[in-house]
Amino acid sequence: MNILLSTTSKEPLFQQIKEQIKQQIYTGELTEGEALPSMRVLAKQLKVSVITSKRAYEDLEKEGFLVSSVGKGTFVAGQQPHFLREWQVRELENDFEQLIADAKRLGLTKRDLLERLEIFFEGDES
């Protein structure tokens, strides 16, 4: 598990940890049943307080991403395929928002963008 924290971000450290773990679950880097480091080990690795790692794990458990077992550890919970697909579609929509902003900045019209989309989409079919 690879987590990078930014001390300059306005986002709290526990939230950064939480979002990066979610991202790794969505992308398949962390898979169902995979063990995560203990709260103490994670805190030590990231050089944060145990309270910070505990908060991230507890929130993820409440949201259904992780399951904890006393004496055994914390594991990635099973994810339903429709939930993962919904997240992937949302990420694609975020990419579209950025693409459209970039296109407008370059002075491209909607038609210009659609023509390019058609070219690239058709190129994948051949």
Side-chain angles (χ1 to χ4, degrees):
M1 186 168 71
N2 187 22
I3 296 176
L4 301 174
L5 299 178
S6 170
T7 55
T8 59
S9 173
K10 292 181 180 178
E11 189 174 38
L13 294 174
F14 83 90
Q15 188 71 28
Q16 292 180 48
I17 295 167
K18 184 174 141 178
E19 291 305 317
Q20 289 182 50
I21 291 173
K22 276 186 187 180
Q23 177 84 14
Q24 291 177 35
I25 291 170
Y26 290 138
T27 60
E29 289 176 60
L30 293 173
T31 57
E32 181 177 346
E34 189 169 339
L36 272 61
S38 72
M39 291 177 212
R40 286 187 181 93
V41 169
L42 182 64
K44 186 175 181 180
Q45 288 173 346
L46 299 177
K47 296 179 175 67
V48 297
S49 76
V50 175
I51 294 169
T52 300
S53 60
K54 182 177 191 248
R55 171 92 187 265
Y57 276 16
E58 285 177 346
D59 283 4
L60 288 166
E61 191 168 0
K62 286 177 191 169
E63 294 175 22
F65 290 93
L66 302 179
V67 291
S68 293
S69 177
V70 177
K72 292 185 180 179
T74 302
F75 304 88
V76 176
Q79 301 298 316
Q80 296 152 356
H82 71 277
F83 181 74
L84 290 175
R85 178 162 168 69
E86 179 62 31
W87 180 85
Q88 291 169 329
V89 168
R90 189 174 32 152
E91 286 296 302
L92 182 62
E93 289 170 350
N94 291 339
D95 292 344
F96 276 144
E97 284 180 22
Q98 183 61 52
L99 176 70
I100 290 168
D102 290 344
K104 286 180 178 179
R105 188 174 35 77
L106 293 172
L108 296 176
T109 66
K110 178 180 175 181
R111 185 73 221 141
D112 292 334
L113 200 53
L114 288 172
E115 286 174 5
R116 284 166 176 76
L117 178 63
E118 288 172 0
I119 290 168
F120 280 97
F121 197 81
E122 289 170 5
D124 284 348
E125 293 177 357
S126 51

